[in-house]
Every structure is written in structure tokens, then in C-alpha cells.
Amino acid sequence: MEAQKYVWEGAIPLQIHLNESEVTTLPPPPPALILAPRIGYLPLLIPLIKPHFAATLPPGVDTVWFDYKGLPLKWYIPTGVLFDLLCAEPERPWNLTVHFRGYPNNLLIPCEGEDSVKWSFINSLKEADYIISGNCKNVMHMSQFDQLELWHSVMNGNLEAYLRTSSKLKFGIVEDEYTLKIDLCSQKSRKTTGEVGMGGQMKTGKIPVRLYIWSVSEDFEDFEDMPKIDSWDKISYINQPIEIHREEGKCFTLHDALKSLMPEFLVDKSLIDEESFRLEGEDEQVILSEDLSSNRMAAEGREISCQSVESTCTSGAAEIKLVRIQGIEPKLEIPFSWVVNNLKNPEHFLHICVCLKFPQVNSLDR
């Protein structure tokens, strides 16, 4: 609960500049300084930003969008995820440019302000519900009042109100292997998925995940030397659930989760060779291939479909240079259940940003 509280209180200092071509006064207005909630979305800042620049805007209809070093920012990605993805070396304050004219419809899907963001959030919540429950009934059966209460709790950063309203979704929790004491007597009654947890809540075995991958071919010592992301074509997406597989005496880690999402990139030949010496063969880990990605991700990002391969990473085809979740760089050995329970976003997706180093720059080309 404490870690979740830190996530909800997390904010990014922004220094927002008005696009030079839209400045109509001299001297130009100073930048706006704003603390942006990590779990929030950039369009929700418009009511704070517009009054600061209103006196200098040219005539016309507002079509607000943001860019970072010339890269238009996708408004439906949480602000914290954008920051983790685009600033390997954290930039504080984060310097963004706001545009009130010239919306890039060829690069960004339309945004009509708060309503667009709200419905994007609700649709992501429905997607998470389908992954966790097999249908969208939990969200669909919420009253309009509860949906608005849930949305307002996210807008206002009110964790207490959010927990109170989101409990009606009955998504349950993931059994936390970090604090769980293994009870051998009860193991026989446990199942991989659909367990009944404490308090009568269902424990989910399928975790909604959005994985953002950018690849590099050059080695670097410091994050500030990393190649910059100047096009969304350089980002690959994996949008599919992770199923936690528990083995006696073994914890399912963040490392295991990444292996399940990127088996073709993270291969350890020694593990495969060792497998042939086992007396009893084990089934290959099955990576779910359901296409549960949202249309916007499919339309604007390159999807990676993973094959069923058992793998690990350190000596494989790619080297993990960076993993960042909610602004932190967790150890790969951390229990994945703890990561999910504490670091997921309010729409119940866990957003993971990963940088992979490949021997050749075209390793991710499709």
C-alpha cells in the first residue's frame, strides 16, 4: 500500500513552452511551470496551461497537442510512461512544447479534451477486465456514477477514493510472493489461476501489460549518451497478458515476465542445452497470443507477436540495458506479483519501458 501511495503521489516537473510560431506578442510569454501527475495524461493539464498563454495566442480554434524535441506526444499514454520512455536520463524540469494550432492528424489520433481521455481510460479498463476476467462485465455493470467517481479519483489523484470505487470491479489481487509464506498444506488446493484469496477476492493469473521497447546497437556508459527517440517508429509495442507460472520453491520474477514477452529476443543457449539432460521433460511455456491490444496501439505502433519459447536473457541475442516502471529501475529478480500489485496504473495495466541492445541495428526490423 505504501508503494502504491508513492506511485499516486508521483509527479513530473514540467516546463512548457508555447510553440514559437503561435507567439503573437513581444516579449514572448515565459514558460509555464507545472507538476504533472505520473498517472495522469497531458490533455488534462490544458485548463492550467491555456490561461498562461491565452493573451498571446493567434485567432483560431484550439487543437492542443504537445511535443518533446519535435516528437508529437501520444496523449493516451500516461504522462509518467512518456517521461520514462523518452528521457532515459531524467530531465528535470521536462521541457515540452505546447501547440494550440496545427494538430498533426497524420501522427496522432484526435483528442477532444477531457472526454476523449476519459473514454480512452474506460476503454483500457474494459480491455484489462477482459484479460483478467474473460469478459468486460465488471466494467460494463458499473453505474455511470461509479465510473465518474473512478475517473474523478484518477484526475484528482485521490487513492483512497479510487480504492473504494475500484473494489466494486472485483478484479482481486495477485498473490504477493514477496510476503507470502509458503504453506505446504494448502498448496494442493491452490491453482495457477482463479484462486480465492484473502477476503474472498479472486486472484488473477493473467496480468494486463503494455511493454514499450526501443532498441540500440551502440554501447554506452551513461544514459545521457543513449540514442534519442525522434520517431514513434523506433518504438515497438507488446500488448498482451502475462500469466504467472508458479513452481514449488521458485518465485516468478520480473525477469521471468520479460522472458515470456520477448522469448525471441532473450535467449540463453545454456538453458536450452541443460533442458535436454532433464529426466522428465517440461512443457514449453505458452505465451498467450490473443490479440487484446487496443486499436490505437495497433494503428500507431508496431506490434510484436511472440512465439512459444522458453528463454532467459543475460547471454542471449539482446542485452537489457534499461527497465523502468513508474520512474524506478527495479532489479530483475524482484517478484513480479509485487511489481503488479504496487506499480500498475489505475486502468490496471502495468506499463514497462525497456531498452534492448542488439548486435545489429536492424534486429527489430519487420
Side-chain angles (χ1 to χ4, degrees):
M1 177 65 180
E2 186 176 0
Q4 193 175 18
K5 183 172 180 287
Y6 280 124
V7 168
W8 274 68
E9 292 176 349
I12 300 166
L14 302 182
Q15 184 166 256
I16 301 178
H17 307 261
L18 179 62
N19 180 37
E20 291 182 357
S21 67
E22 298 173 20
V23 175
T24 62
T25 61
L26 288 175
L33 301 175
I34 293 177
L35 274 178
R38 273 193 154 270
I39 62 170
Y41 301 84
L42 289 176
L44 300 182
L45 302 176
I46 294 174
L48 300 176
I49 297 171
K50 185 176 179 180
H52 184 81
F53 297 117
T56 190
L57 292 176
V61 178
D62 292 341
T63 52
V64 186
W65 56 286
F66 298 82
D67 82 62
Y68 175 58
K69 295 184 177 180
L71 177 67
L73 300 180
K74 298 187 176 184
W75 56 265
Y76 51 80
I77 298 178
T79 304
V81 179
L82 288 171
F83 183 67
D84 292 344
L85 185 62
L86 300 176
C87 293
E89 178 67 25
E91 176 184 316
R92 296 186 179 90
W94 192 22
N95 284 275
L96 302 182
T97 299
V98 62
H99 304 251
F100 288 83
R101 305 289 183 268
Y103 195 88
N105 290 293
N106 59 324
L107 298 174
L108 301 177
I109 60 176
C111 177
E112 303 297 332
E114 181 189 332
D115 281 347
S116 293
V117 182
K118 179 179 69 176
W119 289 116
S120 174
F121 173 84
I122 296 297
N123 285 335
S124 291
L125 196 62
K126 291 177 183 177
E127 186 180 345
D129 190 10
Y130 185 86
I131 292 171
I132 294 169
S133 310
N135 56 64
C136 304
K137 292 181 180 179
N138 289 316
V139 177
M140 297 295 289
H141 290 172
M142 284 187 81
S143 66
Q144 285 294 324
F145 176 81
D146 284 338
Q147 286 192 19
L148 283 175
E149 283 291 298
L150 190 69
W151 172 241
H152 289 153
S153 70
V154 174
M155 283 188 63
N156 299 325
N158 189 334
L159 177 58
E160 184 178 345
Y162 171 81
L163 293 175
R164 183 175 60 251
T165 307
S166 64
S167 65
K168 299 178 182 180
L169 292 171
K170 300 179 181 179
F171 284 169
I173 60 172
V174 180
E175 188 172 69
D176 192 345
E177 296 169 290
Y178 183 72
T179 57
L180 179 69
K181 293 182 179 179
I182 299 177
D183 184 353
L184 296 178
C185 295
S186 64
Q187 282 184 356
K188 294 181 180 179
S189 64
R190 289 180 185 159
K191 298 179 181 179
T192 302
T193 61
E195 303 174 62
V196 177
M198 292 178 291
Q201 286 188 309
M202 291 294 292
K203 297 173 186 172
T204 176
K206 292 182 180 180
I207 312 301
V209 172
R210 298 203 196 283
L211 182 66
Y212 308 80
I213 306 171
W214 75 101
S215 61
V216 297
S217 57
E218 308 88 0
D219 207 353
F220 52 87
E221 295 296 330
D222 301 311
F223 288 148
E224 62 183 14
D225 298 325
M226 286 183 65
K228 305 303 179 185
I229 300 172
D230 54 12
S231 169
W232 286 108
D233 290 337
K234 295 184 178 180
I235 303 296
S236 298
Y237 303 103
I238 294 179
N239 300 294
Q240 68 178 46
I242 290 178
E243 186 166 4
I244 293 180
H245 296 272
R246 295 187 177 92
E247 298 179 18
E248 184 176 348
K250 184 180 178 182
C251 177
F252 188 85
T253 66
L254 174 60
H255 189 179
D256 295 323
L258 292 176
K259 289 189 296 182
S260 72
L261 289 173
M262 302 182 290
E264 70 269 43
F265 300 152
L266 308 178
V267 179
D268 187 348
K269 293 182 180 179
S270 64
L271 183 65
I272 298 174
D273 293 338
E274 181 183 299
E275 191 75 5
S276 63
F277 290 94
R278 295 187 181 181
L279 294 177
E280 295 182 4
E282 297 179 358
D283 292 335
E284 290 185 335
Q285 183 178 359
V286 178
I287 308 303
L288 301 181
S289 59
E290 300 134 284
D291 184 13
L292 295 168
S293 306
S294 61
N295 289 335
R296 58 179 179 274
M297 286 294 191
E300 298 191 32
R302 289 184 294 159
E303 294 275 337
I304 298 176
S305 96
C306 296
Q307 305 298 321
S308 299
V309 180
E310 204 170 46
S311 55
T312 189
C313 76
T314 53
S315 62
E319 175 188 357
I320 295 180
K321 299 295 291 185
L322 175 67
V323 175
R324 191 170 285 164
I325 307 171
Q326 296 291 7
I328 66 174
E329 295 159 27
K331 293 183 177 179
L332 296 180
E333 296 77 21
I334 191 172
F336 186 62
S337 54
W338 186 93
V339 174
V340 174
N341 287 331
N342 292 279
L343 302 183
K344 67 176 179 289
N345 273 63
E347 83 285 14
H348 283 267
F349 270 88
L350 180 68
H351 297 258
I352 308 175
C353 299
V354 178
C355 177
L356 297 180
K357 178 181 178 294
F358 285 88
Q360 297 180 350
V361 71
N362 62 351
S363 296
L364 273 180
D365 287 350
R366 294 290 175 184

